[in-house]
């Protein structure tokens, strides 16, 4: 892990609480500050009210209320958040991945090893 990432704040957006908890534990274990949200709408609220600014977002694609694509599009369209990298981790591969790269900094498909997940999140700026 890049030591400079130890102070980064990661927002995990995942509707499955168990999956979200596992990811939070993994990232906290390597030094990230972790915030959590159950869907895109919750994520935008967390980003707007967080004491520590969010440095990177890890999101699922399919979620109730607001999905990961809409979340990433809203982040990129908001001047407060547009520079924050968004990593997509989804069991549903995006068929239009060339378009997805307009709003996502990286695309990962579940299942994904923790090593690959960590190195991808570490690598986005």
């Amino acid at each position: 892990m890049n030591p400079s990432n130890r102070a980064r704040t990661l927002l995990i957006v995942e509707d499955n609480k168990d999956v979200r908890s596992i990811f939070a534990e993994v990232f906290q274990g390597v030094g990230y500050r972790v915030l959590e949200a159950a869907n895109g709408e919750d994520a935008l609220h967390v980003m707007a009210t967080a004491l520590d600014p969010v440095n990177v977002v890890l999101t699922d694609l399919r979620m109730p209320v607001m999905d990961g694509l809409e979340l990433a599009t809203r982040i990129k369209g908001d001047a407060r958040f547009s520079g924050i990298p968004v990593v997509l981790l989804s069991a549903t591969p995006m068929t239009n991945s060339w378009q997805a790269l307009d709003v996502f900094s990286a695309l990962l498909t579940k299942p994904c090893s923790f090593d690959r997940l960590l190195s991808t999140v570490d690598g986005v700026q």
Side-chain angles (χ1 to χ4, degrees), residues 86-106:
V86 181
V87 176
L88 176 67
L89 176 62
S90 178
T92 308
M94 293 201 63
T95 54
N96 56 343
S97 58
W98 58 273
Q99 286 180 308
L101 288 173
D102 287 342
V103 291
F104 293 109
S105 298

Side-chain angles (χ1 to χ4, degrees), residues 17-88:
K17 186 174 181 353
D18 293 335
V19 171
R20 198 169 64 239
S21 294
I22 290 167
F23 289 162
E25 191 174 310
V26 167
F27 281 98
Q28 286 168 339
V30 295
Y32 278 83
R33 288 185 303 266
V34 174
L35 302 172
E36 298 179 35
N39 60 60
E41 187 175 282
D42 288 348
L44 290 174
H45 177 74
V46 167
M47 292 175 75
T49 60
L51 296 176
D52 292 319
V54 172
N55 302 113
V56 61
V57 175
L58 174 65
T59 187
D60 192 9
L61 183 62
R62 293 186 177 204
M63 297 176 290
V65 185
M66 182 189 298
D67 68 21
L69 181 58
E70 184 178 348
L71 170 63
T73 302
R74 298 264 303 267
I75 288 171
K76 293 304 172 193
D78 188 319
R80 298 171 297 171
F81 309 132
S82 62
I84 299 171
V86 181
V87 176
L88 176 67

